[in-house]
Amino acid sequence: MLSFLRRKIKKIFSPTVKIKGVEYFHFRYTCGYFCDADQSYELCKAGDGFTAYVKPIGKPREERRKYAVNADFALKLEALLANNGVGKWNGFDKSNKMVLDGDSFALKLTNESGEKLSANGYMRWPKNYLAVKEGLEELFGTLDKGE
């Protein structure tokens, strides 16, 4: 009963965030516990354009790749997130305490209205997590190909 009430209270104080006019986005996930076992994707609005960053698995953060991208890239990101209900992920904070060496994720987003979205998990994932992760890999993967 107590955990049910905690979830209800958290939902009240973590309302759905509108995925429109993304000003900042950061998604990170881990794949094990070796050195630099995380992958991350980041998008930051800078004036009229955007800067995207990709940190590959096995590389330190200092070696992340930087790309100048246009508003079309940001709109594709917004569509991916909105179509998969990521706005409802706000406040997601779950973990599987039975797993000691598992994987995790963290997502942060700020929209043009200043609303902030935060979600994270350890061996627990929100709805459509895999579709979002794969979509981000595909979208940010186009940067290396120059598409």
Side-chain angles (χ1 to χ4, degrees), residues 3-135:
S3 73
F4 171 77
L5 289 173
R6 274 192 214 133
R7 283 194 306 272
K8 285 292 183 193
I9 290 170
K10 188 167 216 158
K11 195 66 177 166
I12 291 168
F13 291 105
S14 300
T16 298
V17 171
K18 193 173 195 175
I19 307 294
K20 182 159 176 50
V22 171
E23 303 235 331
Y24 176 77
F25 169 81
H26 187 259
F27 178 78
R28 177 183 177 272
Y29 65 91
T30 61
C31 294
Y33 282 91
F34 59 92
C35 186
D36 298 313
D38 63 310
Q39 172 90 24
S40 70
Y41 305 109
E42 189 172 359
L43 183 71
C44 305
K45 187 169 185 181
D48 292 336
F50 292 86
T51 303
Y53 299 91
V54 176
K55 189 223 122 0
I57 292 174
K59 300 282 185 184
R61 187 175 192 281
E62 298 78 35
E63 292 183 29
R64 68 185 179 157
R65 297 185 296 265
K66 180 179 177 180
Y67 306 90
V69 297
N70 59 27
D72 287 340
F73 184 88
L75 290 173
K76 288 177 185 176
L77 174 65
E78 289 177 12
L80 170 68
L81 302 176
N83 292 341
N84 284 288
V86 172
K88 294 179 183 178
W89 290 13
N90 193 29
F92 185 93
D93 184 14
K94 296 183 180 183
S95 65
N96 183 338
K97 294 177 174 83
M98 301 301 290
V99 180
L100 298 177
D101 290 331
D103 297 332
S104 63
F105 86 96
L107 184 144
K108 301 247 184 257
L109 180 143
T110 304
N111 69 15
E112 64 191 359
S113 301
E115 293 178 291
K116 295 180 185 293
L117 181 148
S118 177
N120 60 75
Y122 172 77
M123 295 305 294
R124 299 279 306 269
W125 324 109
K127 186 176 180 180
N128 297 329
Y129 172 81
L130 192 56
V132 170
K133 181 182 164 207
E134 290 173 351

